[in-house]
Amino acid sequence: MYSIVSTAIVRGIESIPIRVEADVTDGMPVFEMVGFLSAEVREARERVRTALKNSGFRLPPSHITVNLSPADLRKQGNYFDLPIALSVLAAAGFVRMDELKNKIFIGELGLDGHVNTVSGVLSIVHSAYSEGVRSCIVPAGNSREAAIIRGMTVIPVTSIGELVDHLSGIQTIEPEYVDV
């Protein structure tokens, strides 16, 4: 099955949208990532695989391909772990794809599935809001920063398991709000 998750990277003070596509099919078990990736982004493959396993998600032995698009833009930073994990989980049937639409996802994963803070969240969320996105999922440690953007629903997450439960309707995560 195929899925798409939206995220972004920061270049200077600008944010550039990135599509994370995943395809999970029968075949030789392998986890491939493509899309002009820096070393830290290539390392996301092992962080994601281990975080999913340690969070209780058992992926069937499958051929997993993840593409970060556009392919001509070098992907750097630690923004991609959470969107990659969600894209793989959606393609494997753990998350409904309609829950991923019109949202932007940002976050680095620890090996235990914890969502770690990242830099540049305000720029990414502001840019996403300017492009019509009205919901973002960010590390709990970045949620107050993201909530500065009025009109953006900011969902703070601490773990991949918590987020999947939220997206599945099992557990509600209250949005973050700040008075500006």
Side-chain angles (χ1 to χ4, degrees):
M1 194 149 47
Y2 171 79
S3 69
I4 299 174
V5 173
S6 295
T7 191
I9 58 172
V10 176
R11 291 284 191 261
I13 60 171
E14 291 186 329
S15 171
I16 302 168
I18 302 292
R19 276 182 15 169
V20 179
E21 303 170 304
D23 183 65
V24 176
T25 57
D26 293 336
M28 171 118 22
V30 67
F31 191 135
E32 298 179 297
M33 289 184 31
V34 297
F36 199 20
L37 311 175
S38 67
E40 69 260 1
V41 178
R42 281 193 304 272
E43 292 169 355
R45 178 182 66 208
E46 290 307 315
R47 284 192 303 273
V48 167
R49 184 191 333 240
T50 304
L52 290 177
K53 176 184 67 80
N54 289 335
S55 297
F57 297 101
R58 300 290 178 242
L59 296 173
S62 306
H63 186 103
I64 300 170
T65 304
V66 174
N67 177 44
L68 278 66
S69 175
D72 64 342
L73 177 67
R74 182 143 177 95
K75 314 315 177 297
Q76 294 178 301
N78 58 347
Y79 313 98
F80 303 109
D81 294 6
L82 185 62
I84 290 168
L86 280 173
S87 187
V88 168
L89 287 172
F94 289 94
V95 175
R96 289 189 353 245
M97 286 187 247
D98 62 322
E99 290 296 327
L100 306 177
K101 292 181 180 175
N102 301 315
K103 296 177 175 97
I104 190 162
F105 297 85
I106 309 159
E108 176 185 349
L109 291 176
L111 297 182
D112 62 352
H114 182 82
V115 180
N116 299 319
T117 60
V118 296
S119 60
V121 167
L122 182 59
S123 178
I124 292 170
V125 172
H126 180 266
S127 180
Y129 184 83
S130 299
E131 294 172 15
V133 175
R134 296 298 180 258
S135 183
C136 67
I137 289 71
V138 301
N142 291 113
S143 62
R144 292 189 56 75
E145 175 186 0
I148 291 172
I149 305 301
R150 287 196 183 275
M152 179 65 85
T153 301
V154 177
I155 304 298
V157 294
T158 58
S159 72
I160 185 71
E162 174 191 52
L163 178 56
V164 170
D165 286 350
H166 173 76
L167 294 172
S168 301
I170 295 169
Q171 168 186 333
T172 300
I173 300 173
E174 293 299 319
E176 178 80 43
Y177 294 102
V178 295
D179 289 327
V180 191

